[in-house]
Amino acid sequence: MAAPVATPMAAAHDYLIGPGDSVNVVVWRNPEVSSTITVRPDGKITTPLVEDVVAMGKTSTELARDIEKALAKFIQQPVVTVIVTGFIGPYQEQIRVIGQAARPQALPYREGMSLMDVLIAVGGITEFASGNKANIIRSVDGKQQKLSVRLSDLIKDGDISANVPVRPGDVLVIPQSFF
């Protein structure tokens, strides 16, 4: 029985803040409490007057509302804007590439990201890769699926039909060919 083949499917996605992201917290008319912060590995940030706010897994708007609530003790009706300036994203949403990629790594997910985008980011596949035997491991409703992808057809033959969308949390496994 052949493994399912990855097919195009679009999914709406709001960017969620993750550890390592840089966020610019702007408090209107209060530059002394505005700052640029890197989200700590525990997923929290500390700003002037507000300590240990959970940022991980939230949108920038959700984080802004949380900071407004915390600042309301000190500033009358604070207006906060959070701008994400450095993108890594939550670990569970990163695209991981393992095996015979030129530079195996974890990549931040971007809306509309495709297999070609992933291959460009990792520098393609090695000469020892068995590209058409590669798979995407994807979690759907708590169950892992193994989807076949055709990397060699995409890269070497320019077969654009092999360029499929990737989703947050996908793992691309590129096996080695055996001569």
Side-chain angles (χ1 to χ4, degrees):
M1 179 179 206
V5 176
T7 55
M9 55 190 275
H13 181 72
D14 286 331
Y15 184 80
L16 300 178
I17 298 169
D21 283 351
S22 293
V23 293
N24 188 5
V25 178
V26 180
V27 184
W28 187 56
R29 293 189 176 170
N30 289 277
E32 64 280 357
V33 292
S34 298
S35 57
T36 299
I37 307 122
T38 300
V39 180
R40 300 188 315 237
D42 64 358
K44 297 178 183 177
I45 62 170
T46 297
T47 68
L49 300 178
V50 180
E51 295 180 355
D52 295 341
V53 175
V54 175
M56 182 173 70
K58 295 181 181 177
T59 65
S60 58
T61 302
E62 292 168 338
L63 180 57
R65 298 303 79 84
D66 290 350
I67 294 171
E68 283 175 352
K69 287 176 191 170
L71 284 175
K73 299 173 197 170
F74 309 103
I75 300 171
Q76 187 174 6
Q77 297 179 334
V79 177
V80 175
T81 302
V82 172
I83 304 163
V84 182
T85 57
F87 300 91
I88 295 177
Y91 177 76
Q92 68 272 14
E93 290 197 356
Q94 293 175 8
I95 308 297
R96 290 175 292 288
V97 183
I98 60 173
Q100 294 299 308
R103 293 183 310 274
Q105 61 185 287
L107 305 167
Y109 175 78
R110 293 184 325 270
E111 176 124 12
M113 196 173 200
S114 70
L115 191 55
M116 179 70 77
D117 298 321
V118 171
L119 290 173
I120 290 168
V122 300
I125 58 177
T126 69
E127 62 182 297
F128 305 108
S130 182
N132 283 347
K133 291 186 179 178
N135 294 292
I136 291 176
I137 309 299
R138 178 175 290 163
S139 182
V140 177
D141 298 327
K143 296 179 183 170
Q144 288 199 339
Q145 291 183 344
K146 188 176 190 179
L147 308 167
S148 295
V149 290
R150 299 175 293 126
L151 302 182
S152 294
D153 289 352
L154 178 61
I155 296 171
K156 295 177 182 167
D157 300 334
D159 183 355
I160 203 69
S161 70
N163 188 26
V164 297
V166 294
R167 295 183 49 198
D170 280 357
V171 178
L172 176 61
V173 181
I174 307 169
Q176 182 175 358
S177 66
F178 296 98
F179 302 98

